[in-house]
Amino acid sequence: MNIELKDLFLKKLESGINLFTGAGFSVLPNLKGEFLPTADQLCDEIQKEFGLSDEIVNDHDLPYISEFCSEQEYQDFLRKRFTVTEYNPLYNVINKINIRTYATTNIDNIFRLVIEKNNRYYLRSILEYGASMNGNNEISYIPLHGEVTNTEIKLYFKYFDLVNVDRSNEILFNQVVSNMIGKPILFWGYGFKDSGVLKMVKTLIENGTSDIWMQFLPGDSKNIALYRNKNCHIIEATTEELLKWIDKNIAAPLVEKDISLINDSSLKKYFIPTITSVAKIPGNDYYQHGDTGWYPILANVAYERSLVSSIENKALKIKNIIISGCRFSGKSTILMQLASRVDFHNKLFIDGIGLEEAGFIGNKIKDKNVWIFFNNCTDCIDAYTYFANIPNVTLIGVSEEYKLETVKHILDKNINYSIIDCSEITRPEALLMYEKIPEGIRRSKFSYKQTEDEKYSALEFVAQNVVNAYTESSIKRILYDLKKESSEMFTIVALATYLSENGSALTYSNVANILNLKVFLDAVSWVNKTIGFLRCYDLNVDDNEEQDFYVLRSKLFAIITNKLLISYFKKDYADIIKRFVLQQSMYSIVRYNVFRKKAYDGSFFAKLFSKKEANAIYKELYEFDHNAYTLQQWALCLMEFKDYQEAFLKIDKAIGMKPNNFSFKNSQAIIMFESNKEIETQEAMDSMRKAMETLRLCYTNDNRKVYHAQKFGEFAIFLYKNHHIKDYIEEAYGWLNEIMKEDIIVKPYTIKLVNELNSILQTF
């Protein structure tokens, strides 16, 4: 065994290094003697599994042999074969290394299992989450050929697949370069055969750092000579030898026992801040602009609703709570007030984190009693259920009501929890809130809703009782001034709005891409100019110094701006979103896992684009990522344009990909019904009845019943009013009544349908 520049290598392992692995990394057997196959061994297994004779396949060329296998069976075989439940304990030595980015051409889950035991870091897959927002304890994970644990991503082994990976995943390879260039790198167990990866390695060597180590098996003279000639440092060792050397030369990181969480620096970003540690926001900004930072909470600017104490009381009995509400209903304010007032030693405040990050926090918590306050908790429902199942954690989350509805069936199945709705504000409480408004911006007369069925949330309260609160007219003036001042700054604000509205945030990379800037500092300059302009209108932007991302602090501004951009700046907004969606790598979008759930919404695209433009965008999105959910939104968008034939083909294809998805079947039923509403033929009537049968199937079998019941009720009313068909009225009424009894949050539209159905029933 030989390691060139051994002392420097050791220092880089301890201070921070990037790791790139290939098949030679995963060769060690577990304690039972089980091991993952080499390429030649896998060829033999594939031939046996799929009955490929030597006459058909006479070569141990894995990509070539793989082409003779049926696709889905082959994918299932690979996932089963490369999913590891037990691994060689020597791999735990990896947890001694300070790893920044981990890229691999392997598809197995050994590295993921190892890092799950790490109390310093958690793994964050760029394929699932996109760009990082807070990377202090993250290992950025880039599986270039897919991974067995992510069933949404195809595993690439076949000959034609690998050729396609080189081309279509070029942006993924570029992301590896972006993460690793100029920084120490260890290539371990990689064979240097894939053309796409070799191109990436060439870029790293030519433009990167002199701190590149290449591990080769002893005697691999050809590769050793080549890469030594490229000024790389050579490690001659087997994987087992290198792991044992690391184990011998690096001490295990110290882990203090029974440490209080508040003394654990790795959890610092989750701690509840003090008033001296947060940015000062004028009290008026909280009321007029909806700026919901920590300062208004800690300075007692915000009124504390009675819900705050009742939620704390309920959490003492039922440890898992979700505060639900509509947009701008005061959810985050309530959560922060709870976090600041709960008198407990160990408290953490988290926002929209993924499962891996939750696991990292869980490893730190262990058996300590902790209160966790989880903003945007349904952005990753797996993370919420993970915390909810830790006995010593009291968990309070907040979620927009529509997001909660989509995941409620998962919660119902896995945990005991309680939902508390915060949307509606009673008149007595609204009056107390009114008295809390600073006198200079408080309207002279208190205003409440005029009729009982009106909605009255924090949004309506502010609009009716606060002087100079953001209104459509005031924000419209800002946008016109901004566009007149600079098209670049207008683009930045529009893009920040689109990203903020879809759970993401603006980064310098996004700005450079959308403005076609070649120099990074130019993007910084334009962002700073835009922030300065917005401050002239008392509009602030939250930024993170470590990660360089920006979020519109005013939720009220974001909500209204998005609406105005669609109504008054449609062409500009459409052009900005089109360029962003088609040009920006998904891996450079912060919280891409959250962003993609809403960002390509069919009805939203139909408002912005022509049918031709929308088709072109969805086509490129789908070609890049063959995702059934993209097909669903494409179909719903086409339905908005009344292109029912193409819409039906798209949703039918989505169902073919995911035949048990009732959301897709719901969409299919809606398209089928809507496409036949105006046709006066028996065939059209039969199709509408078939759509009703599909909705009945969805309601009976799916846990997300409210959407199916609402559409069933809506269509039942249509059939009665337009065709005098009574068949579905009583059933629809029964379903919706059942939902009203069971649901804590009853939607106004459900109430409206129930009342209309009841009126019809009275005539029978």
Side-chain angles (χ1 to χ4, degrees):
M1 177 180 173
N2 181 55
I3 299 175
E4 294 181 359
L5 302 183
K6 188 180 300 183
D7 293 336
L8 181 62
F9 177 59
L10 192 60
K11 181 181 177 183
K12 298 301 179 182
L13 291 177
E14 292 177 317
S15 61
I17 198 166
N18 294 305
L19 188 59
F20 191 109
T21 68
F25 175 79
S26 300
V27 295
L28 299 187
N30 64 20
L31 295 178
K32 296 178 181 177
E34 300 166 335
F35 54 87
L36 295 177
T38 63
D40 283 350
Q41 290 166 338
L42 186 60
C43 285
D44 292 336
E45 291 183 21
I46 290 171
Q47 284 187 256
K48 183 178 179 181
E49 176 73 20
F50 292 92
L52 304 177
S53 65
D54 289 336
E55 289 75 22
I56 297 174
V57 181
N58 56 10
D59 190 347
H60 266 195
D61 182 341
L62 179 59
Y64 173 77
I65 289 177
S66 299
E67 284 295 340
F68 290 88
C69 306
S70 62
E71 181 62 31
Q72 189 55 55
E73 289 180 11
Y74 183 64
Q75 290 287 314
D76 292 342
F77 167 76
L78 288 177
R79 290 192 192 280
K80 183 178 180 181
R81 186 65 182 91
F82 284 89
T83 297
V84 173
T85 54
E86 297 179 35
Y87 60 87
N88 192 308
L90 192 54
Y91 282 116
N92 288 326
V93 172
I94 292 297
N95 284 324
K96 291 185 173 185
I97 304 173
N98 183 355
I99 302 170
R100 303 293 175 79
T101 292
Y102 174 63
T104 184
T105 54
N106 297 342
I107 63 171
D108 63 75
N109 61 321
I110 290 176
F111 191 83
R112 186 178 282 277
L113 292 175
V114 169
I115 299 302
E116 283 178 3
K117 297 182 177 180
N118 195 313
N119 67 349
R120 292 189 297 165
Y121 307 107
Y122 58 90
L123 211 58
R124 185 181 177 92
S125 172
I126 200 168
L127 296 182
E128 296 180 63
Y129 300 108
S132 168
M133 283 188 80
N134 34 36
N136 294 343
N137 304 107
E138 293 177 1
I139 296 176
S140 184
Y141 175 35
I142 310 178
L144 291 165
H145 289 179
E147 60 167 331
V148 291
T149 59
N150 187 344
T151 57
E152 296 296 321
I153 301 294
K154 182 179 178 178
L155 304 175
Y156 292 95
F157 262 84
K158 293 186 175 182
Y159 178 80
F160 291 113
D161 285 343
L162 292 173
V163 172
N164 188 55
V165 166
D166 294 349
R167 184 175 67 256
S168 66
N169 273 21
E170 184 177 356
I171 55 174
L172 191 58
F173 295 145
N174 289 343
Q175 194 64 44
V176 175
V177 172
S178 176
N179 279 31
M180 294 189 173
I181 199 164
K183 299 165 187 171
I185 307 170
L186 168 60
F187 287 88
W188 190 342
Y190 184 63
F192 300 98
K193 294 179 181 178
D194 297 352
S195 59
V197 181
L198 279 174
K199 180 182 175 183
M200 179 194 68
V201 173
K202 180 175 182 287
T203 304
L204 287 170
I205 291 173
E206 291 180 351
N207 302 290
T209 173
S210 61
D211 289 337
I212 295 180
W213 280 266
M214 298 277 188
Q215 177 263 341
F216 296 110
L217 293 176
D220 188 359
S221 56
K222 186 176 179 181
N223 272 322
I224 290 171
L226 174 63
Y227 286 98
R228 181 174 282 142
N229 185 59
K230 299 295 181 183
N231 291 324
C232 296
H233 314 309
I234 304 302
I235 299 174
E236 293 185 67
T238 65
T239 289
E240 183 176 12
E241 287 172 338
L242 184 52
L243 285 170
K244 286 181 176 179
W245 182 87
I246 293 171
D247 192 26
K248 180 181 177 182
N249 287 277
I250 299 180
L254 291 175
V255 179
E256 297 181 55
K257 295 181 179 179
D258 300 322
I259 189 173
S260 167
L261 293 185
I262 60 173
N263 294 324
D264 190 333
S265 60
S266 67
L267 296 177
K268 184 178 178 181
K269 69 179 181 181
Y270 311 115
F271 296 159
I272 314 303
T274 62
I275 194 166
T276 57
S277 66
V278 296
K280 309 299 182 288
I281 300 172
N284 289 2
D285 284 6
Y286 172 78
Y287 288 99
Q288 292 177 311
H289 304 159
D291 287 359
T292 52
W294 275 104
Y295 186 78
I297 307 303
L298 300 172
N300 196 31
V301 171
Y303 172 79
E304 188 176 293
R305 294 172 61 182
S306 59
L307 271 175
V308 175
S309 55
S310 63
I311 292 170
E312 183 180 358
N313 181 66
K314 191 155 194 173
L316 295 171
K317 301 174 184 176
I318 301 175
K319 76 179 194 74
N320 302 316
I321 305 288
I322 295 181
I323 305 165
S324 173
C326 58
R327 296 291 307 278
F328 204 80
S329 57
K331 303 181 296 295
S332 295
T333 292
I334 291 172
L335 189 69
M336 287 189 285
Q337 286 172 329
L338 276 163
S340 62
R341 69 169 273 161
V342 167
D343 186 15
F344 203 77
H345 188 60
N346 289 324
K347 301 187 294 185
L348 301 175
F349 190 95
I350 58 180
D351 190 350
I353 67 171
L355 182 58
E356 293 84 357
E357 191 170 354
F360 168 77
I361 296 170
N363 286 338
K364 292 286 186 177
I365 290 171
K366 294 184 178 175
D367 58 353
K368 299 176 184 70
N369 291 319
V370 182
W371 283 64
I372 294 180
F373 304 90
F374 197 159
N375 201 27
N376 299 312
C377 68
T378 48
D379 283 349
C380 182
I381 201 60
D382 290 339
Y384 184 88
T385 54
Y386 169 80
F387 286 127
N389 283 307
I390 299 177
N392 43 295
V393 169
T394 300
L395 180 63
I396 302 178
V398 300
S399 170
E400 289 183 30
E401 58 187 16
Y402 87 92
K403 289 184 180 179
L404 178 57
E405 191 61 48
T406 63
V407 298
K408 190 171 174 291
H409 63 290
I410 299 173
L411 295 167
D412 291 342
K413 185 170 63 176
N414 291 293
I415 63 170
N416 180 34
Y417 73 107
S418 181
I419 299 172
I420 297 175
D421 182 34
C422 72
S423 292
E424 281 295 311
I425 302 172
T426 64
R427 182 184 178 86
E429 193 159 48
L431 188 56
L432 291 170
M433 291 168 65
Y434 171 79
E435 295 294 338
K436 183 81 171 177
I437 300 170
E439 201 170 320
I441 61 169
R442 186 173 63 207
R443 292 193 182 276
S444 58
K445 186 179 179 182
F446 168 68
S447 177
Y448 192 65
K449 57 185 178 182
Q450 303 301 308
T451 60
E452 272 306 307
D453 57 355
E454 271 184 58
K455 178 184 172 186
Y456 195 88
S457 67
L459 185 63
E460 287 74 30
F461 170 80
V462 168
Q464 295 177 29
N465 294 289
V466 178
V467 175
N468 293 329
Y470 276 145
T471 61
E472 289 191 16
S473 60
S474 65
I475 294 178
K476 193 196 311 183
R477 178 173 58 84
I478 294 173
L479 292 174
Y480 275 117
D481 288 349
L482 186 63
K483 193 168 187 297
K484 184 178 179 182
E485 179 75 17
S486 163
S487 62
E488 289 87 353
M489 291 196 296
F490 179 86
T491 297
I492 289 171
V493 170
L495 183 57
T497 299
Y498 177 58
L499 290 164
S500 293
E501 280 292 271
N502 291 293
S504 187
L506 184 75
T507 67
Y508 290 133
S509 170
N510 302 149
V511 172
N513 182 275
I514 199 74
L515 297 182
N516 197 27
L517 302 173
K518 303 301 181 187
V519 181
F520 181 78
L521 288 176
D522 289 344
V524 176
S525 176
W526 275 115
V527 170
N528 289 336
K529 286 179 187 176
T530 307
I531 290 172
F533 180 89
L534 294 176
R535 281 180 181 146
C536 295
Y537 295 88
D538 296 323
L539 181 66
N540 297 306
V541 176
D542 273 337
D543 67 275
N544 181 296
E545 293 179 1
E546 292 180 0
Q547 297 299 320
D548 299 323
F549 64 85
Y550 295 85
V551 180
L552 291 172
R553 186 184 293 167
S554 171
K555 293 180 182 178
L556 188 56
F557 179 87
I559 292 168
I560 297 174
T561 298
N562 189 60
K563 181 180 177 182
L564 291 173
L565 287 169
I566 295 170
S567 301
Y568 296 96
F569 304 89
K570 179 178 175 179
K571 187 176 182 302
D572 296 302
Y573 198 29
D575 179 61
I576 291 164
I577 291 176
K578 180 180 179 181
R579 282 188 287 132
F580 179 77
V581 167
L582 296 183
Q583 295 174 14
Q584 185 70 61
S585 158
M586 59 180 273
Y587 311 120
S588 298
I589 299 174
V590 167
R591 286 182 177 167
Y592 183 74
N593 60 312
V594 177
F595 173 82
R596 67 179 177 180
K597 292 177 183 176
K598 280 181 61 185
Y600 312 133
D601 180 74
S603 61
F604 175 68
F605 271 29
K607 290 174 184 175
L608 274 184
F609 303 110
S610 67
K611 186 175 85 170
K612 183 179 179 181
E613 288 173 323
N615 266 330
I617 294 170
Y618 279 120
K619 185 173 184 291
E620 288 212 31
L621 285 171
Y622 184 69
E623 283 180 355
F624 178 79
D625 178 12
H626 282 43
N627 193 304
Y629 296 96
T630 302
L631 286 174
Q632 181 189 29
Q633 293 308 318
W634 193 352
L636 293 173
C637 182
L638 287 167
M639 185 183 73
E640 295 286 336
F641 289 113
K642 299 190 182 303
D643 187 348
Y644 298 114
Q645 183 174 340
E646 276 300 314
F648 195 84
L649 288 173
K650 295 291 184 293
I651 197 63
D652 199 48
K653 188 173 181 179
I655 291 172
M657 294 167 71
K658 289 185 175 291
N660 297 319
N661 188 299
F662 289 102
S663 173
F664 294 171
K665 290 179 180 179
N666 177 284
S667 296
Q668 184 187 53
I670 293 169
I671 292 167
M672 190 186 299
F673 196 97
E674 293 290 345
S675 64
N676 288 283
K677 279 170 71 173
E678 308 301 324
I679 304 174
E680 298 289 337
T681 65
Q682 185 57 47
E683 186 179 5
M685 180 59 67
D686 291 342
S687 292
M688 285 190 284
R689 285 187 177 275
K690 186 177 179 181
M692 296 299 279
E693 288 302 318
T694 300
L695 288 173
R696 183 180 281 133
L697 177 72
C698 291
Y699 182 83
T700 304
N701 293 282
D702 192 14
N703 290 310
R704 294 164 289 189
K705 296 187 180 295
V706 64
Y707 298 123
H708 310 308
Q710 283 181 342
K711 275 297 170 187
F712 191 86
E714 179 187 320
F715 292 161
I717 292 168
F718 175 87
L719 289 172
Y720 175 77
K721 288 184 174 180
N722 292 273
H723 300 281
H724 310 294
I725 294 174
K726 302 179 179 180
D727 302 15
Y728 308 104
I729 297 295
E730 191 170 344
E731 190 173 16
Y733 180 74
W735 288 359
L736 290 165
N737 258 308
E738 186 179 313
I739 286 169
M740 286 179 67
K741 289 174 185 175
E742 292 180 358
D743 276 9
I744 294 169
I745 308 164
V746 180
K747 291 178 169 52
Y749 187 56
T750 300
I751 297 170
K752 177 180 177 293
L753 288 172
V754 166
N755 291 337
E756 195 166 353
L757 288 163
N758 186 48
S759 297
I760 294 171
L761 283 170
Q762 299 306 314
T763 65
F764 286 4

